[in-house]
Amino acid sequence: MNIVVLDLEWNGAYSRKLHGFINEIIEFGAVKLDKKLNIADRFSCFVRPQVTKKISTVISDLTSITDENLTDAMPFMQVVSRFRKWAGDCVIATWGTSDILALIENCRYFGGSEIVPFLSRYADMQVYCEQMLGLDGKEQLGLSKAAELAGVDDGQLDHHRALDDSVLSALVLKKLYTRESFRPHVQDCTDPEFYRRITFKTNYICDPESPLIERQHLRFTCEKCGGEAKRRGKWSVKNKSLRATFRCARCGWEFCGQVRVKQKYEGITVTKKTIPLPKIEKPRKAEPMQIENMQLKIEAGVGLLVFDAWENLPVTHAFSTRIGGVSRNEFAAMNLGFGRGDSDENVAENFRRIAAALQIPAERITAGAQDHHTVVRRVTMENAGVGIWKPKDMESVDGLVTDTADLPLLVYCADCVPLYFYDPKHRAIGLSHAGWRGTVGGMAKATVEKMQAEFGTDPADLLAAIGPSISKRSFEVDEPCAAEFLALPGSDAFVTDDGNGKFHVDLWECNRRFMLACGVRPENITVGGVCSMENSDLVFSHRVTRGKRGSNAAFPMLRGDAE
């Protein structure tokens, strides 16, 4: 079996004949492999543009191909004829089908027929390599990633140039190739079905009345009791799927039923999913109480969660609750998040109310740009108001530290973990947002190290606290997420395998272990113990509300009057 690995570069060009765009091929690059898959010969040829004379700047920047490179090149059909003689009777292999689709498009446009003259046998190396690497094919495997996984060094090759990409594809293929496994991937291109199959575009059917959708595709049974569920409203379309609300006739459980219908070349495929409906509760009554290791205080009508262990520190701190704001509906009542759908006037008034309850300067509240990484920033009075009243001036900041008095820090959390730090010796504080990605990435460690670098903090002196967030009881995850935690030392202490492909992860304990590893004393760490999902009438929970919610905020501030 002789193989030619082909790669193409093309330029998006507007065609007046088509009244639309065509991917006009501008370069062929190929390598011919011998029986041992060594490179026996190479083919490289530019193609003179005929639809447009100018290469787009995007393509030129990506490939480094210029208009001058193509001035004396041959037209497309002449290059095809030359390539056909060079390739001979070989299997043509490309990385994915996009090059073949471009060839069909160009042959139809310039030659009047979609049949590619040199294509008698074809293999898709992308699909083959995904199989040989044991990947599930849910995400397309890029050539560079395949080279990395196969252990191929691509450092000397120029990416996005046809010949070098064909060389790299060939090197990856050689690493993974066996004759027996590759043979089933070779397709006969002389069969007209090949062209129908490769050019077929998968369609999503979003009309519940379509004759392609059978009635049983739109029926659901209750996951709770197995009873028949009745649709309670009209079908809507979201993300290429049909959705409607259902209610079980037996137990009364309500849920959203999602149906995604694909029309593929092989036929109709249907996937169905039940999605819990958002649970929007009224805020809890304004009554002081003890909740685990935190107190719910009511100050000027505003509910504040505070740590028992931090009451006598010269640090004003709290975690906001839903009590005491002016927002309504899913934002009720103390929503502190701009841009979630609530009015800016409501959010600004909520900030004024909680600032008055905490006795902190509202105009100085300072936040970062949270994106679930582990970047920690030191802020001073020059940064006061950034992220709340002033635009964010840095990207990717999930932690803040300061030794400036009367400068309130803020992070948003709605199931994610807020981490509080206080260094009594150097009078410095830290505050971090640790979602599951931040937790497993060592957000607690990053914050301690930042305080060490900025203030000379000794971790043994640090007081730390873990605020309201999702508990282990409520935090159920799938295997890919659990695998990240299982890779950490001592994961048995914070990961439980349920044995059904589901796991429960203790974010509180994982963060505590990172603190201990940094040298923070165990007696100096307070775990608040307040679960956001179990107390969703008190604090906003992203999981409970399916994202239809306001925002909680964690606050610490060094008190200047305590110096």
Side-chain angles (χ1 to χ4, degrees), residues 477-488:
V477 301
D478 294 329
E479 188 172 356
C481 175
E484 303 265 356
F485 289 92
L486 290 168
L488 296 174

Side-chain angles (χ1 to χ4, degrees), residues 130-131 133-139:
E130 285 175 353
Q131 175 188 304
L133 288 166
L135 303 179
D136 58 16
K138 291 182 179 178
E139 294 185 10

Side-chain angles (χ1 to χ4, degrees), residues 447-466:
T447 310
V448 173
E449 290 177 346
K450 185 67 172 178
M451 294 185 74
Q452 287 178 288
E454 295 290 344
F455 314 122
T457 295
D458 182 349
D461 296 330
L462 270 178
L463 302 179
I466 298 172

